[in-house]
Every structure is written in C-alpha cells, then in structure tokens.
Amino acid sequence: MAPKNNAKGGDKKGGAAKGKGKDAGDDKGKVKGAQSINVRHILCEKHARKEEALEKLRNGTKFDEVAREFSEDKARQGGSLGWKTRGDLDPAFEKVAFELEPSTTAKPKYQEVKTGFGYHIIMVEGRK
C-alpha cells in the first residue's frame, strides 16, 4: 500500500491556498472536483517487473488479474486500495491518482509513478 509520508506533513507546496482562486476557471483537460477516489495499483520493486506487468496490460489482460500476478504489496484483492481521500496516500502517488479518469479493470486507463515504495501502475475505478 502507499500510505502518506508523514515526514512531509501537511505541506503541499501551497496547494490548497494557491489553487483555490485559480482552479475555478482552469480547465486544462484535468479531471477535477473529486475529494476521494476508488483506486487500484500494481506495485513492483523492480523496473523490469513493472515493464512485464505493463506488457500484460497492453495485451488486454484485466488490471486486477495483472495485479494479482505482479503486485508485491499487501493489496491482495486485485490491487484494490479502496476509497482514499486527499492526504491518505504518498504525495507523488496521490498527484497521479487524482488526475486519472475512472475506468474499469477490463479496459483500464492507467498511469505509472515511482515512489519510495517502488514502481506503481495506478488506475481509478470511481471518484466522488
């Protein structure tokens, strides 16, 4: 799992205060508005293993099946981390995850990110 790194605390580089006025009219193709997401991930320690997982996804294997086979974390339910709110996750993971459009495990829209935990392939199933 990718818990929040407490060493960084609440410092989001001015995110909340700075973004409040700008976000209202700023539509640069980003998904906006969600305060929580239903997220899945595949975590790999090694880059080569992450690349193998990506190849399976590109070949049409369902995200949850790839997660069961390749993910090296404790999320055993097809990579499901469940519903997470802003501030629950590692900042780098969270930045990518909250920008993703929702998709299904059969046709996932995913992104990659590297954190202190390893290489993540992230998909979002729902937003609210």
Side-chain angles (χ1 to χ4, degrees):
M1 190 138 84
K4 179 170 82 170
N5 180 352
N6 288 331
K8 295 196 180 211
D11 186 340
K12 302 263 186 203
K13 297 182 182 176
K18 183 179 170 188
K20 208 168 197 174
K22 287 186 167 188
D23 284 344
D26 190 17
D27 254 343
K28 293 183 181 174
K30 290 184 181 176
V31 181
K32 358 188 294 188
Q35 290 304 306
S36 61
I37 54 173
N38 187 4
V39 64
R40 288 180 184 263
H41 78 145
I42 299 166
L43 172 64
C44 301
E45 282 185 31
K46 301 207 181 287
H47 183 267
R49 187 157 171 85
K50 179 211 47 144
E51 290 298 318
E52 287 180 53
L54 283 171
E55 189 61 31
K56 287 259 191 182
L57 289 171
R58 288 183 195 116
N59 289 332
T61 306
K62 287 180 157 187
F63 192 94
D64 54 337
E65 292 172 14
V66 177
R68 279 198 230 13
E69 183 179 345
F70 286 90
S71 193
E72 298 168 5
D73 76 342
K74 307 232 182 326
R76 294 285 172 231
Q77 299 171 339
S80 178
L81 298 176
W83 285 95
K84 299 293 179 186
T85 57
R86 290 188 188 273
D88 284 351
L89 302 163
D90 178 273
F93 183 104
E94 189 171 282
K95 182 179 186 315
V96 171
F98 273 88
E99 290 179 0
L100 274 169
E101 288 181 48
S103 60
T104 64
T105 57
K107 293 189 179 190
K109 293 180 183 177
Y110 51 84
Q111 286 291 325
E112 307 169 46
V113 68
K114 185 175 189 307
T115 69
F117 298 95
Y119 298 92
H120 302 265
I121 304 168
I122 307 168
M123 72 160 286
V124 171
E125 290 186 287
R127 302 169 60 81
K128 59 182 177 180

